Amino acid sequence: MASRYDNAAQQRILRAVVVLAGNEFMGIAPGELAKALGESPSTATRDLHNMKEAGFAEQIQETGRWRLGPKVVQISYAFSTELARAESRLAEVKNRYTREP
């Protein structure tokens, strides 16, 4: 169900991130991305350019194919780091409350 806040171009970019995920070594050709998104090749190329500008995609120089850029991995790593901190804090609280008096 679409809302007044939905934006087709933004939604397409987010879907493109999901399509690119898992293809970091071989990459995806712009035509493959276009087909996966149900869009024209020119739209996929424009989206890839905008994703590249934001650090979310990069072109593999040797093949011309595209993959997720470092920014996405950095976001994932930041989440993992914060999760580890939260687990550590939780373990400290658990230890404090489960010690025998």
Side-chain angles (χ1 to χ4, degrees):
M1 174 195 265
S3 81
R4 65 186 181 115
Y5 298 110
D6 289 352
N7 179 285
Q10 292 173 354
Q11 292 296 316
R12 191 177 59 246
I13 292 279
L14 294 170
R15 288 193 329 268
V17 169
V18 173
V19 172
L20 289 172
N23 293 287
E24 288 72 31
F25 293 101
M26 298 299 293
I28 292 180
E32 292 173 295
L33 180 62
K35 185 175 180 180
L37 297 176
E39 298 291 338
S40 70
S42 61
T43 297
T45 298
R46 183 177 59 242
D47 288 347
L48 287 166
H49 169 79
N50 281 285
M51 293 171 69
K52 179 181 178 182
E53 288 298 309
F56 280 73
E58 65 182 12
Q59 193 168 24
I60 303 169
Q61 293 304 314
E62 298 79 23
T63 64
R65 295 168 71 87
W66 290 80
R67 63 183 169 204
L68 288 178
K71 182 63 74 181
V72 178
V73 177
Q74 291 164 352
I75 291 169
S76 298
Y77 186 73
F79 173 80
S80 179
T81 300
E82 181 59 20
L83 185 60
R85 278 191 213 122
E87 288 172 335
S88 177
R89 288 192 303 261
L90 182 60
E92 289 171 15
V93 169
K94 182 179 178 183
N95 185 41
R96 195 173 71 223
Y97 281 91
T98 58
R99 282 186 285 198
E100 292 289 327

